[in-house]
Amino acid sequence: MVAETSPEIGGMGHSVKRKEDARFIRGRGNYVDDIVRPGMLYLDIVRSPYAHARIKSINSDAALEVEGVLAVITGETLKEFNLHWMPTLMSDTQMVLPVDKVMFAGQEVAAVVATSRYAAADGVEAVEVEYEPLPVVMDPFKALEPDAPVLRDDKEGKTDNHIFHWEVGDRDATDRAFEEADVTVSQDVYLPRIHVASIETCGCVAEFDSVTGQLTVWMTTQAPHAIRTVFALVAGHVGLSEEKIRIISPDIGGGFGGKVPVYPGYVIAVAAAVVTGHPVKWIEDRIENLQADSFARDYHMAAEIAADSDGTLKALRIKTLADHGYTDAACNPSQFPAGLFSICTGSYDFQNAFAEVDGVYTNKPPGGIAYRCSFRVTEAVHAIERLVDVLATEVGMDPADVRKKNFIPADAFPYQSVFDWEYDSGNYEGALNLAMETIGYDELRREQAEKRERGELMGIGISSFTEIVGAGPSRHFDILGLKMFDSCELRVHPTGKAVARFGTKSQGQGHETTYAQIIAQELGIPASDIAVEEGDTDTAPYGLGTYASRSTPTAGAAGAVAAGKVRDKARAIAAHLLEAEEVTEDDLEWEPGRFFVRSDPEKGVTIQEIALAAYTNHPQGMEAGLEAVSYYDPPNLTFPFGSYICVVDIDKGTGEVHVRRFVAVDDCGNIINPMIVEGQVHGGLTMGLAPALYEELSYDESGNPLSASFVDYLVPTAVETPAWETANTVTPSPHHPLGAKGIGESATVGAPPAIANAVVDALSHLGVRHIDIPITPDKVWSILRENGITE
Amino acid sequence: MIPGQFEYHAPSTLDEALALLAEHGSDARVLAGGQSLIPLMKLRLASPAVLVDLNGVDSLSGIEESDGQLRIGAMTRHSALERSELIASRYPLIADAAAVIADPLVRNRGTTGGSLAHADPAGDLGSVMTALGAEVGVAGPGGARTLSIDELLLGPFMTTLDEGEILTEVRVPQPEAGSGGAYEKLERKVGDFATAAVAVQITRANGSCSAAGIGLTAVGPTTIRASEAEDALTGSSLDDDALRAAADLAAAASDPAADLRGSEEYKRDMVRVLTLRALRRAVERAGG
Amino acid sequence: MTQIEVTVNGAAQQIDVEPRLLLVHLIREDLQLTGTHIGCDTTHCGACTVLLDGVPVKSCTVFAVQANGSEVTTVEGLEQDGALHPVQQGFTEEHGLQCGFCTPGMMLTSVALLEQNQDPSEDEVRQAISGNLCRCTGYVNIVKSVQHAGRVIREG
């Protein structure tokens, strides 16, 4: 169990107010667009109006005439340095700027460098590009047809648009289980292309000192250290060297996965800074952000379940087509082209399962990233949680009962899934029971039956999800070969205050507060006395960054381990300080903030006294100082889970779905800061609501984006968003030093199927079994109309 | 997103504004609340060479009743309509609509006259003023003139205002006893343009409908007056059958285009649903 | 260039501006008050919200020249003599912010709401802030923050 700390210390379990708020509420945050450097220039980008076209010519003459415009950079400029293409994290290739053809509408075509933001925009207007349109491939299924145009003709020998095939499980055994099953259900489930749309867009300021060769880039990145190494590897041939590259990730206005990739704009800005010798700022606008930055999802899944007639699950089979756009720029661990999709057996005890994913090229922007989830977990959870409901209807059972019947039992953990994940801990029935009690499930079912009699449409939806977060153990997880550990460097000062630096980077999660609480928990130094720093590669220890709910499982654990090392040394110093009492280290007991003599608890020394001694009175033969470093390689992932229940009412006239209530029961193991955890759940739920009912990146047949601004990309406001109700169960992770699991993304993963299940449930008496998200009013209206229901 | 360059003028009187428009001819555009024009300029979908900003012309703002009319100055902000006790107590149709235009911050800048002169078929006030049978006052080099709302709204983003003219005010007939109105808007989220919206205003006299106005938002190339529905209602007893019949006729009068908000069929049916809802509320407000 | 006179957070400023300069860029770049943010191009997100003569507006959709003769309040103007505005207190106490990017705009809209209504209901707060997008908090705690600020104001 976790030791209790006083509110003054503010260790785990305390809702400590956030340290970072002091600057944010005063407008004193430091986001990338707030950074101004002497002599700074501005970069703006010319983008393609075509989804697929050959570039016949680019004429910069008029642009160079514009007052303030200094340079126009094209693919030809970069080609001189062999920087016109760059590798993606999935070992594909992506254009920085094209020399031959463009592959999606909104793609970067050229860049204008000018003395002001306004002049750069004028310059972009003046660049003349002549295009020859080429046939466009938007439908991923058509992309695989034999006569489809081959999009990646830049790749020698490429004869189709297929990117990869990935599969997991025993296909034959699964097929046999299906043949032998009493009941099988199948459902096509599409998770559409969506966009994280963090309120801050992406951008950078690049500064290059031609004398020293020092490159400093302030950029919106969730993974500054990996970016530094990538820059060194990709641009080593033009003289960039890793010891002279400094990536600074300042305050970030929301990430959600969208600030993991290296976008062409960053690279062009760096090139521009090198070429012009001036600092160069590039800040994309919202339309560029939605048009060109990495998408999430876009999974076409054909899912099937085999079961006994009593609802016992026997086998799962999912075949998926993944539309990656023109290049596979997914941000997955290297060995996982489909991310962690193999969590798709969910919270259930399947004995047989088989899943396969094929990636395909189309004329859409590249991706995909996570949209606040751990590498395709949302896709997996949506498929299984929808299918369980389809099965429940098929066998005539309440969806809660089907779930309870098939949950991995609480006493079966650690549990080895058929896809070979070791689920660390769980109590799925406990979470579902709490959710059902909280919302009053039985009463709602009665109300629904009455309303149905009266012709009113009300639905109740459940989602009992399991996530897989905290990538990850080095034996499986790397990005471009970099193992996915994370780190903490902890230094306790003579006055008992501390600074802790981490390899991750907060984008709103509150690391400055929760990490301080972790150190406080382990050392008893008040959280308010611990400064937390991240994001500067010159000062922070190497780490793989913040995404996929990995910060607490990896860097948080590193913090605990580093603090443990400090405590070990502190114990030795304590024994030294208590020498007069004739005690050894073995005679000392620890309570948060203090070592004391077991036999005489009044006698002891505080961590602050020990810290001072570490610099002023350390034992002979011991190195001075009180600091430690931990590079934490997690032994396993963590498996947060929860059960969500959603109640919807449907407007029969308009087809609008109104979320009346939504109860979220989450279990993320031991909780560091309950206030922050609840806030993460609120935000995650809203980013689950959004794709369930509102958001989609749509394109017309010619490849024009139809939702490339906030006019049509529908980020929910406070009015659409319900008053979320949250609760927790606590099932500690057995392997995490603090028993904690990641929580930032559970709700994004768990909410969409709860909402979709509720809508389908409201319409189930009409024979409706599935609706693809986003469930828009017109989709619901069409269903109602087909069934003769109207106002 | 950066607008192109332009020359800027901020007159403080209507006469100065008219003189500036006369001086710059087709190069000039009037800037009212700017909540449509400025985004269009940032997207460089509009690049006027000269802007004549009316925000300093105080005489163009205000809400008052006089001479049997409600007069709304062209530069009256949507939020002023939303907060006006006069509007809330006597013009519920306008109050309904003012509360659902765009979002609260946009309503703090956006203006009645700007909205009507922009003539966006998805603009809420076009159909409201159509239902109310409003007219607009226009000032121009040739003097002042009056246009009915139907005469003003010509097509998508097109009005019959001539070059150099300024829409100065909107005049709404004061409601007779037994009048009621309502606005029903279906939007995907706050801040969205309507998927469809319907403005209705009815008057009941001696147990039957003596006048009816129905305007449709966002379901055609311009604001649509559902004339046949109005005619069918007029003289009816405003019973539910009559309302349903009118709703069907309003749907038939719509001419929507499919987009991300839905199909033509969907939008047409939404006109029916929203018209029926608006009529029921209007009848209730008219006193049963 | 046009010379304008604008009072920002109580300080009168005379500045030469290009007519097309957006108010948000005047604030962020000429006046270096970077607490006001930019999140979209289409007047949807409200990250750029400031008070213009006391009224919350999206400063990306107002030209700087239009602020001539006006008073502008930005987030930097909320704290008075070292005392946080009740809205700033509310957002801290109720965890009304995460990444902090929408926060200044959200707070200024809330300040204006509370000027009109010191005891807003949940629905009134939600309506009032519906022109400001937040991607992190799910709004629940923003509503609580505004109501918290209302209590602080009412209790003096």
Side-chain angles (χ1 to χ4, degrees):
Chain A
M1 274 317 293
V2 175
E4 284 214 12
T5 58
S6 65
E8 290 69 37
I9 291 174
M12 282 180 71
H14 291 285
S15 285
V16 173
K17 303 295 178 219
R18 297 201 330 163
K19 290 161 163 273
E20 36 278 89
D21 290 2
R23 62 180 184 277
F24 292 143
I25 58 163
R26 292 173 172 85
R28 296 283 295 276
N30 187 35
Y31 302 90
V32 69
D33 198 14
D34 302 342
I35 290 161
V36 176
R37 302 294 299 169
M40 189 172 78
L41 304 177
Y42 294 81
L43 183 139
D44 201 350
I45 292 176
V46 179
R47 290 176 185 272
S48 170
Y50 293 100
H52 196 196
R54 203 162 297 287
I55 295 172
K56 295 176 73 178
S57 67
I58 299 176
N59 185 341
S60 309
D61 294 349
L64 290 167
E65 293 294 309
V66 172
E67 192 184 337
V69 171
L70 301 179
V72 175
I73 297 172
T74 66
E76 295 295 342
T77 323
L78 297 181
K79 193 178 178 184
E80 290 174 32
F81 306 98
N82 196 27
L83 284 175
H84 55 311
W85 285 89
M86 62 180 179
T88 71
L89 294 185
M90 301 317 290
S91 301
D92 205 334
T93 51
Q94 179 171 3
M95 288 178 245
V96 178
L97 285 173
V99 292
D100 178 28
K101 63 175 191 172
V102 287
M103 298 284 271
F104 70 93
Q107 186 182 335
E108 301 80 1
V109 172
V112 174
V113 184
T115 51
S116 76
R117 206 184 284 272
Y118 283 60
D122 291 344
V124 164
E125 279 287 291
V127 173
E128 294 162 10
V129 185
E130 201 181 345
Y131 298 94
E132 176 192 333
L134 295 168
V136 169
V137 180
M138 295 303 286
D139 181 331
F141 292 92
K142 287 185 181 162
L144 289 181
E145 288 173 2
D147 57 346
V150 177
L151 299 179
R152 294 301 301 270
D153 51 7
D154 57 289
K155 295 188 171 199
E156 211 171 320
K158 189 77 184 149
T159 57
D160 59 24
N161 295 313
H162 187 256
I163 308 173
F164 66 84
H165 175 79
W166 168 89
E167 62 178 53
V168 61
D170 186 332
R171 185 194 296 262
D172 295 337
T174 303
D175 289 350
R176 275 196 303 280
F178 268 84
E179 282 159 20
E180 291 162 5
D182 297 343
V183 185
T184 62
V185 291
S186 65
Q187 182 61 54
D188 288 348
V189 177
Y190 176 52
L191 252 64
R193 195 169 260 251
I194 53 176
H195 199 286
V196 299
S198 52
I199 304 299
E200 181 200 38
T201 60
C202 294
C204 69
V205 177
E207 183 170 299
F208 182 71
D209 185 322
S210 60
V211 176
T212 62
Q214 172 76 33
L215 174 72
T216 305
V217 188
W218 293 261
M219 67 189 279
T220 46
T221 177
Q222 300 174 222
H225 302 275
I227 294 285
R228 185 187 71 196
T229 303
V230 168
F231 274 22
L233 293 174
V234 171
H237 64 283
V238 293
L240 293 187
S241 188
E242 193 165 4
E243 85 283 11
K244 291 181 183 170
I245 302 173
R246 181 181 189 186
I247 307 295
I248 300 173
S249 188
D251 285 326
I252 294 193
F256 314 115
K259 289 168 180 168
V260 173
V262 176
Y263 295 117
Y266 298 131
V267 180
I268 304 167
V270 169
V274 171
V275 168
T276 63
H278 285 266
V280 173
K281 177 182 277 190
W282 166 67
I283 305 291
E284 66 185 3
D285 62 39
R286 176 61 56 193
I287 290 172
E288 295 178 291
N289 172 258
L290 288 171
Q291 272 188 359
D293 289 2
S294 281
F295 69 91
R297 319 274 191 264
D298 217 347
Y299 257 33
H300 299 261
M301 301 177 284
E304 302 168 277
I305 279 183
D308 286 343
S309 50
D310 68 354
T312 304
L313 298 172
K314 304 301 280 188
L316 174 72
R317 198 162 54 191
I318 305 182
K319 183 176 174 56
T320 295
L321 196 61
D323 183 346
H324 277 270
Y326 94 87
T327 179
D328 186 357
C331 291
N332 290 323
S334 302
Q335 296 175 44
F336 298 87
L340 302 180
F341 187 69
S342 58
I343 194 67
C344 58
T345 53
S347 306
Y348 311 104
D349 187 17
F350 278 99
Q351 297 304 310
N352 289 289
F354 178 76
E356 58 186 323
V357 178
D358 286 275
V360 60
Y361 291 127
T362 61
N363 286 118
K364 293 179 195 154
I369 44 111
Y371 190 100
R372 199 170 186 156
C373 92
S374 179
F375 313 120
R376 304 290 189 184
V377 172
T378 312
E379 289 88 330
V381 166
H382 203 81
I384 185 65
E385 286 304 301
R386 276 273 49 249
L387 262 285
V388 166
D389 264 37
V390 172
L391 176 74
T393 307
E394 182 72 22
V395 297
M397 289 174 71
D398 188 288
D401 295 335
V402 175
R403 285 178 169 79
K404 289 183 183 181
K405 191 180 192 73
N406 292 285
F407 277 150
I408 298 161
D411 60 7
F413 293 91
Y415 168 84
Q416 203 74 19
S417 83
V418 66
F419 286 150
D420 219 22
W421 296 115
E422 186 185 295
Y423 290 27
D424 58 348
S425 64
N427 179 1
Y428 300 154
E429 189 158 345
L432 179 53
N433 283 337
L434 178 57
M436 291 172 75
E437 276 166 34
T438 306
I439 206 160
Y441 187 78
D442 295 338
E443 179 53 37
L444 286 167
R445 283 287 174 210
R446 277 192 288 279
E447 181 193 341
Q448 181 187 32
E450 285 167 25
K451 288 209 158 141
R452 210 166 257 186
E453 287 289 310
R454 295 202 298 271
E456 292 173 42
L457 301 173
M458 163 191 168
I460 306 155
I462 302 174
S463 158
S464 293
F465 63 93
T466 292
E467 267 200 299
I468 173 170
V469 311
S474 60
R475 63 187 179 279
H476 295 308
F477 289 90
D478 71 87
I479 285 178
L480 294 174
L482 300 167
K483 298 298 187 182
M484 293 181 72
F485 57 83
D486 225 292
S487 60
C488 170
E489 186 183 285
L490 172 64
R491 189 174 299 169
V492 183
H493 302 315
T495 54
K497 322 282 178 174
V499 60
R501 299 190 173 97
F502 293 82
T504 47
K505 175 62 204 178
S506 182
Q507 311 122 41
Q509 293 90 335
H511 289 179
E512 289 167 49
T513 307
T514 48
Y515 284 165
Q517 288 184 262
I518 289 172
I519 308 291
Q521 177 68 39
E522 296 298 297
L523 284 185
I525 296 174
S528 55
D529 287 349
I530 300 163
V532 169
E533 296 179 6
E534 307 175 283
D536 183 341
T537 58
D538 267 11
T539 56
Y542 205 99
L544 272 285
T546 292
Y547 42 86
S549 293
R550 67 186 300 278
S551 296
T552 290
T554 60
V561 171
K565 291 180 184 177
V566 164
R567 207 166 75 191
D568 287 346
K569 183 169 182 181
R571 181 186 289 271
I573 299 173
H576 166 68
L577 293 176
L578 293 166
E579 227 168 21
E581 311 297 329
E582 299 190 344
V583 296
T584 67
E585 288 185 43
D586 295 339
D587 300 319
L588 297 180
E589 286 282 320
W590 170 256
E591 64 181 359
R594 181 171 175 269
F595 280 107
F596 61 89
V597 180
R598 190 176 300 113
S599 58
D600 187 0
E602 292 296 303
K603 296 207 167 74
V605 284
T606 65
I607 188 72
Q608 287 81 7
E609 290 164 342
I610 295 167
L612 184 63
Y615 296 88
T616 60
N617 178 24
H618 59 288
Q620 290 304 305
M622 180 190 276
E623 287 186 17
L626 193 57
E627 58 185 75
V629 180
S630 169
Y631 281 76
Y632 185 79
D633 182 359
N636 190 8
L637 295 120
T638 68
F639 294 74
F641 60 93
S643 270
Y644 294 173
I645 304 182
C646 173
V647 184
V648 300
D649 298 297
I650 293 177
D651 184 322
K652 282 195 297 183
T654 62
E656 288 170 290
V657 173
H658 172 68
V659 177
R660 188 205 309 174
R661 286 189 69 192
F662 195 110
V663 167
V665 173
D666 276 283
D667 192 320
C668 59
N670 290 332
I671 291 173
I672 298 163
N673 182 320
M675 176 191 83
I676 287 178
V677 165
E678 188 191 38
Q680 289 295 305
V681 172
H682 288 159
L685 289 169
T686 307
M687 286 184 77
L689 170 80
L693 297 182
Y694 302 103
E695 294 174 8
E696 178 172 8
L697 288 173
S698 324
Y699 299 84
D700 69 13
E701 285 180 359
S702 307
N704 298 304
L706 300 176
S707 41
S709 77
F710 280 164
V711 176
D712 283 305
Y713 194 77
L714 305 176
V715 175
T717 75
V719 168
E720 290 76 44
T721 306
W724 307 112
E725 301 169 58
T726 59
N728 287 96
T729 57
V730 176
T731 311
S733 168
H735 64 79
H736 186 275
L738 303 167
K741 303 180 179 185
I743 187 59
E745 305 170 328
S746 287
T748 317
V749 169
I755 296 167
N757 286 346
V759 178
V760 171
D761 181 61
L763 304 170
S764 61
H765 59 298
L766 307 174
V768 174
R769 294 292 171 267
H770 176 75
I771 308 172
D772 277 332
I773 61 170
I775 302 175
T776 54
D778 58 316
K779 277 187 194 171
V780 175
W781 174 85
S782 297
I783 291 166
L784 296 175
R785 188 182 160 92
E786 281 163 19
N787 287 280
I789 293 178
T790 183
E791 180 170 275
Chain B
M1 288 280 112
I2 307 294
Q5 293 174 337
F6 56 86
E7 186 182 312
Y8 174 81
H9 297 279
S12 54
T13 67
L14 181 60
D15 286 344
E16 282 172 40
L18 290 169
L20 284 161
L21 290 180
E23 181 188 341
H24 295 286
S26 62
D27 287 344
R29 256 188 101 160
V30 166
L31 174 63
Q35 302 301 285
S36 298
L37 180 57
I38 296 176
L40 288 172
M41 291 173 68
K42 287 164 69 179
L43 297 167
R44 304 216 177 186
L45 296 171
S47 302
V50 178
L51 278 188
V52 177
D53 184 354
L54 299 186
N55 283 280
V57 183
D58 292 340
S59 65
L60 291 177
S61 293
I63 304 167
E64 58 166 26
E65 277 187 325
S66 62
D67 304 329
Q69 288 179 316
L70 170 74
R71 301 161 75 100
I72 304 171
M75 289 301 292
T76 305
R77 314 276 179 202
H78 302 317
S79 55
L81 296 179
E82 198 181 352
R83 294 195 185 122
S84 158
E85 284 179 23
L86 172 62
I87 298 285
S89 61
R90 289 176 46 81
Y91 302 88
L93 167 54
I94 298 176
D96 279 0
V100 296
I101 296 168
D103 68 47
L105 303 183
V106 170
R107 295 200 287 274
N108 283 337
R109 288 297 287 174
T111 65
T112 306
S115 175
L116 292 175
H118 186 49
D120 186 334
D124 296 287
L125 291 180
S127 60
V128 168
M129 296 307 162
T130 298
L132 289 167
E135 58 186 35
V136 298
V138 176
R145 61 181 183 134
T146 297
L147 293 169
S148 74
I149 189 74
D150 304 73
E151 289 166 332
L152 174 74
L153 301 173
L154 191 61
F157 305 99
M158 288 192 300
T159 67
T160 49
L161 292 177
D162 287 331
E163 189 178 301
E165 283 191 324
I166 292 173
L167 194 161
T168 55
E169 67 174 358
V170 184
R171 302 181 201 120
V172 177
Q174 279 184 25
E176 295 171 28
S179 294
Y183 192 61
E184 285 284 344
K185 180 177 185 176
L186 174 64
E187 58 185 6
R188 295 175 298 178
K189 54 165 270 195
V190 170
D192 190 19
F193 291 108
T195 301
V198 178
V200 306
Q201 177 77 13
I202 54 120
T203 306
R204 181 201 285 273
N206 305 319
S208 71
C209 177
S210 59
I214 302 179
L216 311 180
T217 307
V219 287
T222 185
T223 300
I224 290 174
R225 176 183 292 285
S227 310
E228 289 186 22
E230 294 173 348
D231 293 347
L233 273 180
T234 310
S236 81
S237 63
L238 293 172
D239 61 8
D240 217 51
D241 285 345
L243 305 190
R244 284 174 183 280
D248 287 342
L249 288 168
S254 69
D255 182 20
D259 61 16
L260 292 177
R261 294 172 183 81
S263 63
E264 288 175 38
E265 271 185 308
Y266 175 61
K267 292 184 178 183
R268 198 169 283 121
D269 197 46
M270 289 310 96
V271 173
R272 180 186 65 79
V273 168
L274 298 173
T275 304
L276 187 57
R277 289 180 183 180
L279 282 170
R280 283 175 177 160
R281 282 209 293 135
V283 168
E284 199 181 304
R285 284 170 168 173
Chain C
M1 296 293 248
T2 307
Q3 189 179 70
I4 61 168
E5 189 168 322
V6 54
T7 301
V8 180
N9 300 330
Q13 313 260 3
Q14 282 192 344
I15 312 158
D16 288 329
V17 298
E18 210 185 346
R20 64 169 168 166
L21 182 71
L22 298 168
L23 178 58
V24 69
H25 286 139
L26 173 85
I27 292 167
R28 284 183 51 79
E29 299 188 354
D30 296 64
L31 304 179
Q32 294 167 25
L33 295 169
T34 54
T36 304
H37 299 142
I38 300 172
C40 76
D41 323 307
T42 50
T43 324
H44 280 83
C45 79
C48 62
T49 302
V50 300
L51 302 183
L52 183 60
D53 294 325
V55 176
V57 301
K58 298 185 180 181
S59 65
C60 76
T61 311
V62 177
F63 292 116
V65 283
Q66 296 188 279
N68 190 19
S70 291
E71 288 192 18
V72 174
T73 305
T74 71
V75 64
E76 290 90 346
L78 289 180
E79 190 177 5
Q80 294 288 326
D81 304 324
L84 290 177
H85 188 281
V87 165
Q88 292 173 304
Q89 296 172 34
F91 273 69
T92 307
E93 290 299 314
E94 300 289 350
H95 189 28
L97 65 148
Q98 291 181 24
C99 81
F101 202 76
C102 77
T103 310
M106 204 59 93
M107 289 195 304
L108 287 159
T109 297
S110 304
V111 167
L113 167 68
L114 293 171
E115 296 265 325
Q116 311 268 330
N117 178 359
Q118 292 184 0
D119 189 13
S121 66
E122 175 180 343
D123 187 56
E124 285 169 335
V125 177
R126 286 179 180 273
Q127 292 289 342
I129 62 170
S130 61
N132 296 79
L133 296 178
C134 171
R135 199 59 159 164
C136 295
T137 65
Y139 303 107
V140 175
N141 288 345
I142 294 181
V143 173
K144 288 184 190 166
S145 301
V146 178
Q147 292 180 324
H148 182 111
R151 275 195 303 279
V152 171
I153 292 171
R154 292 200 303 279
E155 290 161 8

